[in-house]
Amino acid sequence: RKIFSGHSLATVQGFYTDGFYQRHFTPNELRDAFGAAGLETERVSITHMAKPMFPLLPAAIDRFLKERWGWLLAIEFRKPNASMESGA
């Protein structure tokens, strides 16, 4: 709701996290962050968060918003050339 009262995603994040232990990312931002660390993203998925983003929001719209902007994202990634380093 704070977005509708003039806040940006960055300022809304400040209400819910200190940005140190947890941060809000879109799926693309998460992929980019892992890529910048030299890791290859295999899949980004939305976890089991059952609570709707907004009260009384139809499930299809809630799902769309979570898929579009993310909501408790999980990422599967790999280190490039990991099989070579393990001797395989």
Side-chain angles (χ1 to χ4, degrees):
R1 295 179 209 142
K2 294 186 184 306
I3 292 287
F4 299 113
S5 63
H7 290 278
S8 69
L9 288 176
T11 61
V12 169
Q13 178 173 298
F15 286 101
Y16 301 105
T17 176
D18 61 7
F20 183 73
Y21 291 106
Q22 54 184 325
R23 285 190 51 201
H24 296 108
F25 290 94
T26 65
N28 286 335
E29 289 171 336
L30 189 58
R31 281 184 196 95
D32 291 346
F34 274 66
L39 303 169
E40 295 179 5
T41 299
E42 294 185 352
R43 181 170 54 177
V44 175
S45 56
I46 298 166
T47 64
H48 62 279
M49 184 64 173
K51 181 180 176 183
M53 292 178 85
F54 300 102
L56 306 175
L57 192 66
I61 296 172
D62 183 65
R63 209 170 25 257
F64 169 79
L65 292 172
K66 288 176 182 178
E67 288 172 1
R68 174 76 170 98
W69 288 293
W71 190 260
L72 293 180
L73 300 174
I75 188 167
E76 294 177 43
F77 63 93
R78 65 184 174 87
K79 185 177 177 182
N81 302 318
S83 61
M84 287 186 213
E85 292 177 12
S86 65

